[in-house]
Amino acid sequence: MWTASRVATLIGRTFHVPYSVSGATRLMHRLGLSPQVPARRVVERDERAVTA
């Protein structure tokens, strides 16, 4: 998952300039990006037991 903190760190390391977390959030929104949260599923999940 890309968080604003990770993006700010990546910008700082890549371009050697400090970048704030709030600035990274605004940048991501301007670019049409949003933090993505993966759907967590248990591999051993028994669908029949869940529906019951």
Side-chain angles (χ1 to χ4, degrees):
M1 176 169 74
W2 284 95
T3 62
S5 177
R6 287 182 179 180
V7 171
T9 301
L10 179 66
I11 291 171
R13 288 181 182 170
T14 303
F15 300 107
H16 306 288
V17 294
Y19 215 82
S20 68
V21 175
S22 62
T25 301
R26 282 182 263 145
L27 176 65
M28 290 190 330
H29 284 289
R30 276 185 293 196
L31 295 173
L33 303 172
S34 64
Q36 300 296 309
V37 179
R40 295 182 181 202
R41 292 192 138 177
V42 178
V43 176
E44 304 88 21
R45 182 175 170 155
D46 183 6
E47 291 296 329
R48 285 184 278 176
V50 171
T51 55

PDB file of all heavy atoms in Angstrom, residues 13-39:
ATOM      1  N   ARG A  13      13.998  10.894  -1.240  1.00  0.00           N
ATOM      2  CA  ARG A  13      15.167  10.094  -1.609  1.00  0.00           C
ATOM      3  C   ARG A  13      15.509  10.244  -3.089  1.00  0.00           C
ATOM      4  O   ARG A  13      16.679  10.246  -3.460  1.00  0.00           O
ATOM      5  CB  ARG A  13      14.915   8.633  -1.295  1.00  0.00           C
ATOM      6  CG  ARG A  13      14.923   8.320   0.176  1.00  0.00           C
ATOM      7  CD  ARG A  13      14.686   6.859   0.423  1.00  0.00           C
ATOM      8  NE  ARG A  13      14.657   6.582   1.854  1.00  0.00           N
ATOM      9  CZ  ARG A  13      14.282   5.421   2.368  1.00  0.00           C
ATOM     10  NH1 ARG A  13      13.901   4.444   1.575  1.00  0.00           N
ATOM     11  NH2 ARG A  13      14.276   5.259   3.664  1.00  0.00           N
ATOM     12  N   THR A  14      14.487  10.335  -3.926  1.00  0.00           N
ATOM     13  CA  THR A  14      14.724  10.393  -5.368  1.00  0.00           C
ATOM     14  C   THR A  14      15.240  11.748  -5.820  1.00  0.00           C
ATOM     15  O   THR A  14      16.179  11.836  -6.603  1.00  0.00           O
ATOM     16  CB  THR A  14      13.428  10.060  -6.134  1.00  0.00           C
ATOM     17  OG1 THR A  14      12.967   8.770  -5.709  1.00  0.00           O
ATOM     18  CG2 THR A  14      13.658  10.039  -7.630  1.00  0.00           C
ATOM     19  N   PHE A  15      14.620  12.818  -5.309  1.00  0.00           N
ATOM     20  CA  PHE A  15      14.944  14.163  -5.784  1.00  0.00           C
ATOM     21  C   PHE A  15      15.775  14.982  -4.796  1.00  0.00           C
ATOM     22  O   PHE A  15      16.086  16.137  -5.061  1.00  0.00           O
ATOM     23  CB  PHE A  15      13.655  14.910  -6.135  1.00  0.00           C
ATOM     24  CG  PHE A  15      12.869  14.226  -7.219  1.00  0.00           C
ATOM     25  CD1 PHE A  15      11.706  13.548  -6.927  1.00  0.00           C
ATOM     26  CD2 PHE A  15      13.314  14.246  -8.533  1.00  0.00           C
ATOM     27  CE1 PHE A  15      10.978  12.909  -7.920  1.00  0.00           C
ATOM     28  CE2 PHE A  15      12.597  13.615  -9.535  1.00  0.00           C
ATOM     29  CZ  PHE A  15      11.431  12.937  -9.228  1.00  0.00           C
ATOM     30  N   HIS A  16      16.104  14.403  -3.642  1.00  0.00           N
ATOM     31  CA  HIS A  16      16.927  15.060  -2.618  1.00  0.00           C
ATOM     32  C   HIS A  16      16.324  16.389  -2.166  1.00  0.00           C
ATOM     33  O   HIS A  16      17.026  17.384  -2.016  1.00  0.00           O
ATOM     34  CB  HIS A  16      18.365  15.266  -3.126  1.00  0.00           C
ATOM     35  CG  HIS A  16      18.989  13.996  -3.606  1.00  0.00           C
ATOM     36  ND1 HIS A  16      19.375  12.999  -2.752  1.00  0.00           N
ATOM     37  CD2 HIS A  16      19.267  13.558  -4.866  1.00  0.00           C
ATOM     38  CE1 HIS A  16      19.881  11.999  -3.450  1.00  0.00           C
ATOM     39  NE2 HIS A  16      19.820  12.318  -4.737  1.00  0.00           N
ATOM     40  N   VAL A  17      15.023  16.396  -1.984  1.00  0.00           N
ATOM     41  CA  VAL A  17      14.312  17.570  -1.457  1.00  0.00           C
ATOM     42  C   VAL A  17      13.349  17.101  -0.372  1.00  0.00           C
ATOM     43  O   VAL A  17      12.754  16.034  -0.485  1.00  0.00           O
ATOM     44  CB  VAL A  17      13.519  18.322  -2.559  1.00  0.00           C
ATOM     45  CG1 VAL A  17      14.444  18.941  -3.570  1.00  0.00           C
ATOM     46  CG2 VAL A  17      12.523  17.419  -3.237  1.00  0.00           C
ATOM     47  N   PRO A  18      13.205  17.883   0.684  1.00  0.00           N
ATOM     48  CA  PRO A  18      12.227  17.495   1.716  1.00  0.00           C
ATOM     49  C   PRO A  18      10.799  17.693   1.199  1.00  0.00           C
ATOM     50  O   PRO A  18      10.521  18.648   0.472  1.00  0.00           O
ATOM     51  CB  PRO A  18      12.537  18.449   2.873  1.00  0.00           C
ATOM     52  CG  PRO A  18      13.227  19.603   2.246  1.00  0.00           C
ATOM     53  CD  PRO A  18      13.933  19.088   1.034  1.00  0.00           C
ATOM     54  N   TYR A  19       9.917  16.770   1.535  1.00  0.00           N
ATOM     55  CA  TYR A  19       8.525  16.855   1.108  1.00  0.00           C
ATOM     56  C   TYR A  19       7.661  16.435   2.277  1.00  0.00           C
ATOM     57  O   TYR A  19       7.903  15.393   2.894  1.00  0.00           O
ATOM     58  CB  TYR A  19       8.291  15.934  -0.094  1.00  0.00           C
ATOM     59  CG  TYR A  19       7.304  16.479  -1.090  1.00  0.00           C
ATOM     60  CD1 TYR A  19       7.685  17.401  -2.042  1.00  0.00           C
ATOM     61  CD2 TYR A  19       5.983  16.062  -1.078  1.00  0.00           C
ATOM     62  CE1 TYR A  19       6.793  17.899  -2.966  1.00  0.00           C
ATOM     63  CE2 TYR A  19       5.081  16.556  -1.994  1.00  0.00           C
ATOM     64  CZ  TYR A  19       5.490  17.472  -2.937  1.00  0.00           C
ATOM     65  OH  TYR A  19       4.592  17.974  -3.844  1.00  0.00           O
ATOM     66  N   SER A  20       6.658  17.224   2.601  1.00  0.00           N
ATOM     67  CA  SER A  20       5.816  16.916   3.752  1.00  0.00           C
ATOM     68  C   SER A  20       4.774  15.862   3.394  1.00  0.00           C
ATOM     69  O   SER A  20       4.449  15.653   2.222  1.00  0.00           O
ATOM     70  CB  SER A  20       5.110  18.176   4.242  1.00  0.00           C
ATOM     71  OG  SER A  20       4.155  18.605   3.294  1.00  0.00           O
ATOM     72  N   VAL A  21       4.243  15.223   4.420  1.00  0.00           N
ATOM     73  CA  VAL A  21       3.201  14.215   4.222  1.00  0.00           C
ATOM     74  C   VAL A  21       1.940  14.861   3.667  1.00  0.00           C
ATOM     75  O   VAL A  21       1.308  14.324   2.752  1.00  0.00           O
ATOM     76  CB  VAL A  21       2.919  13.466   5.543  1.00  0.00           C
ATOM     77  CG1 VAL A  21       1.745  12.508   5.385  1.00  0.00           C
ATOM     78  CG2 VAL A  21       4.155  12.712   6.001  1.00  0.00           C
ATOM     79  N   SER A  22       1.590  16.035   4.179  1.00  0.00           N
ATOM     80  CA  SER A  22       0.390  16.713   3.672  1.00  0.00           C
ATOM     81  C   SER A  22       0.584  17.139   2.218  1.00  0.00           C
ATOM     82  O   SER A  22      -0.348  17.085   1.409  1.00  0.00           O
ATOM     83  CB  SER A  22       0.032  17.919   4.536  1.00  0.00           C
ATOM     84  OG  SER A  22       1.070  18.875   4.512  1.00  0.00           O
ATOM     85  N   GLY A  23       1.791  17.534   1.865  1.00  0.00           N
ATOM     86  CA  GLY A  23       2.084  17.885   0.476  1.00  0.00           C
ATOM     87  C   GLY A  23       1.986  16.667  -0.435  1.00  0.00           C
ATOM     88  O   GLY A  23       1.486  16.756  -1.560  1.00  0.00           O
ATOM     89  N   ALA A  24       2.451  15.524   0.048  1.00  0.00           N
ATOM     90  CA  ALA A  24       2.357  14.294  -0.734  1.00  0.00           C
ATOM     91  C   ALA A  24       0.896  13.877  -0.909  1.00  0.00           C
ATOM     92  O   ALA A  24       0.501  13.411  -1.982  1.00  0.00           O
ATOM     93  CB  ALA A  24       3.143  13.177  -0.053  1.00  0.00           C
ATOM     94  N   THR A  25       0.074  14.079   0.128  1.00  0.00           N
ATOM     95  CA  THR A  25      -1.357  13.772   0.026  1.00  0.00           C
ATOM     96  C   THR A  25      -2.006  14.636  -1.038  1.00  0.00           C
ATOM     97  O   THR A  25      -2.747  14.135  -1.894  1.00  0.00           O
ATOM     98  CB  THR A  25      -2.054  14.001   1.382  1.00  0.00           C
ATOM     99  OG1 THR A  25      -1.440  13.166   2.365  1.00  0.00           O
ATOM    100  CG2 THR A  25      -3.530  13.684   1.304  1.00  0.00           C
ATOM    101  N   ARG A  26      -1.730  15.933  -1.002  1.00  0.00           N
ATOM    102  CA  ARG A  26      -2.313  16.843  -2.003  1.00  0.00           C
ATOM    103  C   ARG A  26      -1.824  16.496  -3.410  1.00  0.00           C
ATOM    104  O   ARG A  26      -2.604  16.533  -4.365  1.00  0.00           O
ATOM    105  CB  ARG A  26      -1.984  18.291  -1.657  1.00  0.00           C
ATOM    106  CG  ARG A  26      -2.882  18.803  -0.528  1.00  0.00           C
ATOM    107  CD  ARG A  26      -2.588  20.246  -0.228  1.00  0.00           C
ATOM    108  NE  ARG A  26      -1.664  20.189   0.919  1.00  0.00           N
ATOM    109  CZ  ARG A  26      -0.672  21.008   1.137  1.00  0.00           C
ATOM    110  NH1 ARG A  26      -0.420  21.993   0.319  1.00  0.00           N
ATOM    111  NH2 ARG A  26       0.098  20.877   2.192  1.00  0.00           N
ATOM    112  N   LEU A  27      -0.556  16.146  -3.534  1.00  0.00           N
ATOM    113  CA  LEU A  27      -0.007  15.768  -4.833  1.00  0.00           C
ATOM    114  C   LEU A  27      -0.705  14.530  -5.385  1.00  0.00           C
ATOM    115  O   LEU A  27      -1.088  14.478  -6.558  1.00  0.00           O
ATOM    116  CB  LEU A  27       1.503  15.523  -4.718  1.00  0.00           C
ATOM    117  CG  LEU A  27       2.194  15.023  -5.980  1.00  0.00           C
ATOM    118  CD1 LEU A  27       2.143  16.078  -7.081  1.00  0.00           C
ATOM    119  CD2 LEU A  27       3.619  14.634  -5.675  1.00  0.00           C
ATOM    120  N   MET A  28      -0.891  13.518  -4.531  1.00  0.00           N
ATOM    121  CA  MET A  28      -1.551  12.288  -4.974  1.00  0.00           C
ATOM    122  C   MET A  28      -2.981  12.564  -5.428  1.00  0.00           C
ATOM    123  O   MET A  28      -3.434  12.019  -6.435  1.00  0.00           O
ATOM    124  CB  MET A  28      -1.525  11.231  -3.869  1.00  0.00           C
ATOM    125  CG  MET A  28      -0.137  10.696  -3.628  1.00  0.00           C
ATOM    126  SD  MET A  28       0.038   9.252  -2.547  1.00  0.00           S
ATOM    127  CE  MET A  28      -1.251   9.335  -1.392  1.00  0.00           C
ATOM    128  N   HIS A  29      -3.691  13.418  -4.692  1.00  0.00           N
ATOM    129  CA  HIS A  29      -5.072  13.748  -5.077  1.00  0.00           C
ATOM    130  C   HIS A  29      -5.110  14.510  -6.401  1.00  0.00           C
ATOM    131  O   HIS A  29      -5.990  14.269  -7.229  1.00  0.00           O
ATOM    132  CB  HIS A  29      -5.768  14.543  -3.975  1.00  0.00           C
ATOM    133  CG  HIS A  29      -6.190  13.686  -2.823  1.00  0.00           C
ATOM    134  ND1 HIS A  29      -7.213  12.778  -2.891  1.00  0.00           N
ATOM    135  CD2 HIS A  29      -5.697  13.590  -1.571  1.00  0.00           C
ATOM    136  CE1 HIS A  29      -7.352  12.162  -1.736  1.00  0.00           C
ATOM    137  NE2 HIS A  29      -6.423  12.629  -0.915  1.00  0.00           N
ATOM    138  N   ARG A  30      -4.159  15.419  -6.603  1.00  0.00           N
ATOM    139  CA  ARG A  30      -4.105  16.157  -7.876  1.00  0.00           C
ATOM    140  C   ARG A  30      -3.840  15.239  -9.053  1.00  0.00           C
ATOM    141  O   ARG A  30      -4.315  15.466 -10.160  1.00  0.00           O
ATOM    142  CB  ARG A  30      -3.024  17.236  -7.835  1.00  0.00           C
ATOM    143  CG  ARG A  30      -3.483  18.523  -7.189  1.00  0.00           C
ATOM    144  CD  ARG A  30      -2.399  19.542  -7.310  1.00  0.00           C
ATOM    145  NE  ARG A  30      -1.281  19.061  -6.479  1.00  0.00           N
ATOM    146  CZ  ARG A  30      -0.267  19.784  -6.070  1.00  0.00           C
ATOM    147  NH1 ARG A  30      -0.153  21.029  -6.443  1.00  0.00           N
ATOM    148  NH2 ARG A  30       0.663  19.291  -5.307  1.00  0.00           N
ATOM    149  N   LEU A  31      -3.076  14.176  -8.815  1.00  0.00           N
ATOM    150  CA  LEU A  31      -2.773  13.213  -9.862  1.00  0.00           C
ATOM    151  C   LEU A  31      -3.865  12.155 -10.022  1.00  0.00           C
ATOM    152  O   LEU A  31      -3.757  11.269 -10.863  1.00  0.00           O
ATOM    153  CB  LEU A  31      -1.427  12.526  -9.573  1.00  0.00           C
ATOM    154  CG  LEU A  31      -0.204  13.441  -9.602  1.00  0.00           C
ATOM    155  CD1 LEU A  31       1.034  12.677  -9.142  1.00  0.00           C
ATOM    156  CD2 LEU A  31       0.001  14.005 -10.996  1.00  0.00           C
ATOM    157  N   GLY A  32      -4.904  12.241  -9.196  1.00  0.00           N
ATOM    158  CA  GLY A  32      -6.002  11.291  -9.278  1.00  0.00           C
ATOM    159  C   GLY A  32      -5.721   9.968  -8.603  1.00  0.00           C
ATOM    160  O   GLY A  32      -6.357   8.963  -8.906  1.00  0.00           O
ATOM    161  N   LEU A  33      -4.768   9.964  -7.679  1.00  0.00           N
ATOM    162  CA  LEU A  33      -4.403   8.741  -6.967  1.00  0.00           C
ATOM    163  C   LEU A  33      -4.956   8.764  -5.558  1.00  0.00           C
ATOM    164  O   LEU A  33      -5.189   9.824  -4.988  1.00  0.00           O
ATOM    165  CB  LEU A  33      -2.881   8.601  -6.906  1.00  0.00           C
ATOM    166  CG  LEU A  33      -2.163   8.596  -8.248  1.00  0.00           C
ATOM    167  CD1 LEU A  33      -0.665   8.645  -8.028  1.00  0.00           C
ATOM    168  CD2 LEU A  33      -2.546   7.378  -9.041  1.00  0.00           C
ATOM    169  N   SER A  34      -5.164   7.609  -5.000  1.00  0.00           N
ATOM    170  CA  SER A  34      -5.599   7.497  -3.617  1.00  0.00           C
ATOM    171  C   SER A  34      -4.905   6.293  -2.998  1.00  0.00           C
ATOM    172  O   SER A  34      -4.517   5.367  -3.720  1.00  0.00           O
ATOM    173  CB  SER A  34      -7.113   7.331  -3.531  1.00  0.00           C
ATOM    174  OG  SER A  34      -7.504   6.122  -4.140  1.00  0.00           O
ATOM    175  N   PRO A  35      -4.743   6.290  -1.680  1.00  0.00           N
ATOM    176  CA  PRO A  35      -4.128   5.117  -1.048  1.00  0.00           C
ATOM    177  C   PRO A  35      -4.976   3.879  -1.312  1.00  0.00           C
ATOM    178  O   PRO A  35      -6.194   3.931  -1.232  1.00  0.00           O
ATOM    179  CB  PRO A  35      -4.126   5.468   0.434  1.00  0.00           C
ATOM    180  CG  PRO A  35      -4.287   6.935   0.497  1.00  0.00           C
ATOM    181  CD  PRO A  35      -5.060   7.328  -0.723  1.00  0.00           C
ATOM    182  N   GLN A  36      -4.342   2.802  -1.644  1.00  0.00           N
ATOM    183  CA  GLN A  36      -5.051   1.566  -1.931  1.00  0.00           C
ATOM    184  C   GLN A  36      -4.852   0.595  -0.776  1.00  0.00           C
ATOM    185  O   GLN A  36      -3.736   0.344  -0.359  1.00  0.00           O
ATOM    186  CB  GLN A  36      -4.526   0.937  -3.224  1.00  0.00           C
ATOM    187  CG  GLN A  36      -4.688   1.832  -4.425  1.00  0.00           C
ATOM    188  CD  GLN A  36      -6.139   2.098  -4.737  1.00  0.00           C
ATOM    189  OE1 GLN A  36      -6.931   1.181  -4.831  1.00  0.00           O
ATOM    190  NE2 GLN A  36      -6.488   3.355  -4.875  1.00  0.00           N
ATOM    191  N   VAL A  37      -5.956   0.051  -0.290  1.00  0.00           N
ATOM    192  CA  VAL A  37      -5.906  -0.920   0.790  1.00  0.00           C
ATOM    193  C   VAL A  37      -6.280  -2.275   0.205  1.00  0.00           C
ATOM    194  O   VAL A  37      -7.372  -2.442  -0.331  1.00  0.00           O
ATOM    195  CB  VAL A  37      -6.884  -0.542   1.924  1.00  0.00           C
ATOM    196  CG1 VAL A  37      -6.841  -1.581   3.025  1.00  0.00           C
ATOM    197  CG2 VAL A  37      -6.566   0.836   2.452  1.00  0.00           C
ATOM    198  N   PRO A  38      -5.368  -3.230   0.274  1.00  0.00           N
ATOM    199  CA  PRO A  38      -5.683  -4.547  -0.293  1.00  0.00           C
ATOM    200  C   PRO A  38      -6.740  -5.272   0.527  1.00  0.00           C
ATOM    201  O   PRO A  38      -6.816  -5.113   1.747  1.00  0.00           O
ATOM    202  CB  PRO A  38      -4.354  -5.291  -0.231  1.00  0.00           C
ATOM    203  CG  PRO A  38      -3.588  -4.607   0.843  1.00  0.00           C
ATOM    204  CD  PRO A  38      -4.052  -3.178   0.861  1.00  0.00           C
ATOM    205  N   ALA A  39      -7.588  -6.039  -0.157  1.00  0.00           N
ATOM    206  CA  ALA A  39      -8.585  -6.853   0.539  1.00  0.00           C
ATOM    207  C   ALA A  39      -7.861  -8.015   1.190  1.00  0.00           C
ATOM    208  O   ALA A  39      -7.129  -8.750   0.534  1.00  0.00           O
ATOM    209  CB  ALA A  39      -9.625  -7.351  -0.441  1.00  0.00           C
TER     210      ALA A  39
END
